[in-house]
Structure formats: C-alpha cells, structure tokens
Amino acid sequence: MRVLGDVLLGRRTAQLFFTHSSCEMSALYNFDLLVAGPLCMLIVLVLRRFFDLAERLPRWNRVLSWVWAPALFGFGITAVFRYRNPLLDDAYMLGVYALVVVTLLLLWSYRPARLVLLALAPLLLHRLIKFGLDLGDLRLLAPYASIFTSLGKFTTLWLIGLVLVARSQKRNLAKEQQQRQEEEQARQLIATQNAELERLVAERSATLTQQAATLQQALEELQMTQSQLIQAEKMASLGELTAGIAHEIQNPLNFVNNFAEVSAELLEELAEEQTKPAPDTELELELLADLTQNLQKITQHGQRAASIVRGMLEHSRASTGERSLTDLNALCDEYLRLAYHGLRAKDKSFNATLHTDFAPVLPLVEAVSQDVGRVLLNLFTNAFYAVRQRQQAGEAGYAPSVGVRTRRVGDEVEVSVQDNGTGIAEAVRQKIFQPFFTTKPAGEGTGLGLSLAHDIITQGHGGSLTVTSQEGQGAKFTVRLPI
C-alpha cells in the first residue's frame, strides 16, 4: 500500500498518509529507485500494450522500451556512492509521466488517448506542484496541506475512473473498427459478386442477342412460309370458288341458250304461218304467247347469271374492311350452292342433300360481307369434304347431307352449318383452330382455312366460332355475330 501511494502521490505525500519511524524512512530511500523503476516500466508496458504502440508508433515504442535504463543508472549511483536524495524518485517518476504525455499527444487523433490524457492531467499537475514544494523545501499551512492531500486522492480516483472509461471506449472503437472491416469485406465481396454478375450478364446478353438474331431469322422465314401457304390457301379457295361459279353459271346459260333456240324455232313457225293464204290466228297467238314466255325465261336466267358474276366480282375484290348491313340468309344460300357446285365440278358422281332453315325475319348484321362469305365458304367446303369422305368409305345406306340454319339468339345472329360426315375426334377439336393444323392429306389442305375463319369472326367482328362433333356421326360449326 505504501509503495502504490509513493508511486502515485510521491514520497512526501506518502509520508502524510502513513506514519513510519525515521529508521524506516531512511531505509526506504535506499530502495525508492529499485521500486520506482519496475513500476515505471510496468506503467510504460501497460501504456504500450493498451495503445498498441508497436503498430501505431513503432519508433516511439522502441524509445519507451529503454525506460529502465535511467532507473538502473540512478540505483547504481545510490548504491555505490551512498547518495540519498528523496527527490530522485520523484524526478524519475515525473520524467516517465512526461514520456506518457508525449505518447498521448502523438496519439491525439485516437479518442481513448485524449481521454487518458485528460485523466492524467490533474494527477500530473498535482505531482508537479508537490515536486516544486519539495524542491524548494516548502510546506503548506495545515488547512491547505489537508486540502492538497485530498486533491491527491481525488486525482488518483479521477485517473482510475477515466482509464476505465478509456478502456471501454477502446473496446467500442475496436468493435466499430471490426464492424467497419467486416462491412468493407462485405462491400468488396459484393463488388466482386457484382463484377462476376456483370460478366455473366454480359455473356448471357451476348447469348440472348445471338439467339434473338437466330429467332428473328427463323421468324422471317416462318412468315415467308406462312405467306406462301396463305397464298396457296387463297388460290385453292379461289379455284374451288371458280369451279363452283362456273358450274352455277352454266345452268342459267343453258336455259338462255335453250330458250333462245326454242324462240328461234317459234319465230320460224310464226313466219311460215303468216305466209299461208289463210293463217291460223289462234296458232299465231299461241306462238306469240310461247315466244313471250321464252323471252321472260331468258331475261330471268340472264339476270341470274349476272347476279352470279356480280357475286364473283365482289368476292374476288380485296376486302376494304368497311362494314355494311348484311343479309346472312342470302349470303348463306349463295355460298352454300357455290361450294356444292364447286365440289360437283371436280367430282360429277358426288351428290348431297342440302337442307336450309332460314329464319323468316332475320335482323341484318353489320359486317364485312366478303370476309363473312369466305368464312361460310370454308365451312361449307369442309362439310361437303367430310360427307364425301364418309360416302367414299362405302358405308351401306349412307346419304350425304349438309344443312345450314339461321336464327336470332338474344342480341346475336346464329348461323349453324351441320353435316353427317366423318365427324371430328376430341383430340382434333382442341387444335382445329390452330394455324397450319389440318387433318387433310398432304396437298389437299394448308391448315389455315379454319384458323383464318376463326380470326375473321372473333377478332374482326367480335363474334364467336365454335364446333361440336361426334366422331363418325358428323360435326356442327356455329357462327355467332352481334346484331
């Protein structure tokens, strides 16, 4: 206890705190430097380790490592020459304190160093005052001496308290530094990962760009092929339509030719009758009546042929997309017969029963008649194809039949095309409106007819196109258009 007090407060102050005989004090003088030296080295060692001087101030750390040399020198002088000076240990302690202060000033940017310097300042000031008093052999008055002694105790407690605070502060700074290091490592790791991700993204982008170019080329080729197939489908439809129109227009032309020949024969008979001396008036009237009737028939069938030609021109004209009020009954009847005669033009042996059930009062619908006509022609053509396939299968007692029905259903007009052909399997019905899907043999279908028909009705007119079928029994396509 006496040693610690002598180190922190000085020998003279320790004499005020402790009571010893003159013999004891005289003996103590011989060992002041022997005790102060190790204590100072201990203080310096703690200081060096506490502030990590080997890393922060390596050169100054080597200087502090020689703090034992003055103590050893002073102890040698005292031991050899028997020179006893009570102020020698105080001077040595003050020198060590000065080194500590210099060290703390060099570490001024380090917060715990500033705190320790603040903690050491009162104690160092007290020791300097005490050393000055001892050096001048001065004594304070009794009341002031007691206060001075109490201040020495306070400076010791102040030093201990702030050193503990500095220790806690150092730990917190170490934690913060470790946390910053971890954050820096995390940032470096993230930066490395970002660089790797950027590299991978660049590689992936290059791959995707190449794939996109390949897909674009494939898409262009597909579009070209699609255009060719659509053109082939149009040409096939046009061929069927042309054949149907040729067969259809041949009937009125035959009537016109036949009635014209008969009319010519009637005119010859009328001329012969008029050359007779006594012409038969009743026969002349009868011939004139027959001739008038024939001319009416010629006019009627001529108008029918003109109507067919007019419809052909309208159908062949490119669709303008302009809608107009359309009579679906007339449109269905016209294209049903065109499709039927078109198939008969290719196969004279084919015959089918046509059933029509048109609503007597069917509202007109606003539609593009050419486009709706193409849809109906495609549905009728498929229906005749289905019944023809079943007929060629040689089924006993089978009679081909195709029917069309129109009616109003709420705010829509419905057109149903039904046949008793081969029917459509469930697996086929799910894909029947897909582009390029067809059940016809190669060369007979492109798989675009129903796909285009579905787009015309659903996308072009806001309606619907559905199918119901029983395999081996027939199929029914239903078109609904809003009124």
Side-chain angles (χ1 to χ4, degrees):
M1 186 67 176
R2 166 59 194 276
V3 173
L4 180 59
D6 188 43
V7 171
L8 296 177
L9 302 177
R11 182 178 55 79
R12 294 298 184 183
T13 305
Q15 289 176 353
L16 297 176
F17 293 154
F18 304 97
T19 304
H20 297 280
S21 63
S22 60
C23 181
E24 291 174 339
M25 291 302 294
S26 178
L28 180 63
Y29 293 154
N30 296 327
F31 298 98
D32 279 342
L33 286 175
L34 184 62
V35 174
L39 287 177
C40 288
M41 286 187 288
L42 179 62
I43 292 173
V44 171
L45 180 61
V46 172
L47 178 72
R48 292 165 62 189
R49 292 186 177 180
F50 185 82
F51 291 107
D52 300 324
L53 295 183
E55 296 181 1
R56 299 178 185 274
L57 301 171
R59 293 183 179 180
W60 186 250
N61 181 60
R62 288 194 294 270
V63 173
L64 292 179
S65 65
W66 289 89
V67 75
W68 55 271
L72 182 61
F73 178 74
F75 178 75
I77 292 176
T78 302
V80 173
F81 296 101
R82 301 295 180 178
Y83 176 74
R84 299 185 180 90
N85 189 343
L87 297 177
L88 187 59
D89 60 329
D90 290 341
Y92 179 68
M93 290 293 295
L94 288 175
V96 173
Y97 286 155
L99 292 175
V100 172
V101 170
V102 172
T103 303
L104 296 176
L105 291 175
L106 293 175
L107 295 173
W108 182 256
S109 61
Y110 189 46
R111 283 186 295 173
R114 297 197 295 268
L115 188 60
V116 172
L117 184 59
L118 179 63
L120 188 61
L123 177 61
L124 183 60
L125 180 61
H126 184 274
R127 293 303 300 272
L128 286 174
I129 295 174
K130 176 67 175 59
F131 182 74
L133 291 175
D134 290 343
L135 186 63
D137 198 15
L138 301 175
R139 296 291 181 272
L140 295 174
L141 298 177
Y144 297 107
S146 177
I147 295 174
F148 190 73
T149 303
S150 299
L151 288 176
K153 295 178 181 180
F154 174 75
T155 57
T156 304
L157 296 176
W158 173 267
L159 175 63
I160 295 174
L162 289 188
V163 167
L164 293 176
V165 174
R167 182 184 178 188
S168 176
Q169 192 177 61
K170 178 187 176 184
R171 291 179 178 177
N172 293 335
L173 289 176
K175 290 181 180 178
E176 291 178 1
Q177 184 178 5
Q178 183 179 1
Q179 184 176 0
R180 286 195 297 269
Q181 290 177 352
E182 292 177 354
E183 291 177 354
E184 181 64 24
Q185 292 176 355
R187 283 195 295 270
Q188 293 178 356
L189 179 61
I190 292 174
T192 303
Q193 292 178 347
N194 288 339
E196 181 65 18
L197 287 176
E198 289 178 359
R199 184 184 65 80
L200 293 176
V201 168
E203 292 179 356
R204 186 61 176 170
S205 299
T207 303
L208 291 177
T209 302
Q210 184 178 2
Q211 292 178 353
T214 304
L215 290 176
Q216 181 65 27
Q217 182 179 0
L219 178 60
E220 292 176 357
E221 294 177 355
L222 181 61
Q223 290 175 344
M224 184 181 301
T225 303
Q226 182 180 14
S227 300
Q228 294 174 353
L229 290 175
I230 291 175
Q231 185 65 25
E233 177 73 18
K234 289 182 178 179
M235 294 303 295
S237 299
L238 181 61
E240 294 177 357
L241 179 61
T242 303
I245 291 176
H247 190 275
E248 182 72 12
I249 203 173
Q250 188 173 359
N251 289 331
L253 288 177
N254 289 335
F255 279 111
V256 170
N257 292 330
N258 292 334
F259 283 116
E261 292 177 1
V262 172
S263 298
E265 293 176 357
L266 291 177
L267 286 175
E268 290 178 359
E269 291 182 6
L270 180 61
E272 291 178 359
E273 187 65 29
Q274 288 180 348
T275 57
K276 292 180 180 179
D280 187 350
T281 306
E282 292 182 359
L283 180 59
E284 290 180 352
L285 292 176
E286 183 178 353
L287 292 174
L288 289 174
D290 291 339
L291 184 61
T292 303
Q293 185 178 2
N294 289 346
L295 292 176
Q296 291 176 351
K297 292 292 185 180
I298 291 173
T299 302
Q300 179 182 352
H301 290 286
Q303 291 176 350
R304 174 59 181 166
S307 175
I308 293 173
V309 172
R310 185 169 54 253
M312 178 180 178
L313 293 176
E314 289 179 356
H315 187 274
S316 61
R317 188 181 302 118
S319 174
T320 61
E322 296 180 1
R323 300 189 181 189
S324 59
L325 295 178
T326 303
D327 183 0
L328 289 182
N329 285 341
L331 206 62
C332 291
D333 183 65
E334 178 180 358
Y335 281 96
L336 174 65
R337 301 186 183 281
L338 286 177
Y340 177 61
H341 292 298
L343 185 58
R344 278 184 51 82
K346 293 188 295 183
D347 184 3
K348 299 294 184 180
S349 63
F350 174 72
N351 286 291
T353 304
L354 305 182
H355 298 282
T356 57
D357 183 9
F358 298 141
V361 182
L362 189 68
L364 300 178
V365 296
E366 190 175 356
V368 183
S369 59
Q370 295 93 335
D371 292 344
V372 177
R374 290 189 181 96
V375 172
L376 294 174
L377 180 62
N378 184 270
L379 296 181
F380 294 143
T381 301
N382 288 342
F384 287 123
Y385 179 84
V387 297
R388 182 167 172 264
Q389 290 296 109
R390 185 175 178 182
Q391 183 186 45
Q392 290 178 348
E395 182 178 344
Y398 173 70
S401 173
V402 175
V404 56
R405 176 187 180 189
T406 61
R407 61 172 180 165
R408 176 173 181 169
V409 180
D411 294 333
E412 295 178 322
V413 171
E414 180 183 278
V415 178
S416 301
V417 179
Q418 188 169 4
D419 64 77
N420 63 345
T422 56
I424 305 173
E426 176 65 26
V428 175
R429 285 203 303 271
Q430 297 176 0
K431 300 182 289 185
I432 198 170
F433 296 121
Q434 294 180 3
F436 309 110
F437 177 80
T438 180
T439 57
K440 295 180 181 179
E444 294 191 20
T446 62
L448 290 173
L450 287 177
S451 175
L452 293 175
H454 185 269
D455 291 343
I456 290 172
I457 297 300
T458 58
Q459 299 180 13
H461 293 79
S464 63
L465 175 59
T466 58
V467 58
T468 57
S469 176
Q470 184 175 358
E471 189 173 6
Q473 299 297 322
K476 178 181 179 183
F477 286 86
T478 303
V479 177
R480 285 192 177 187
L481 296 174
I483 298 176

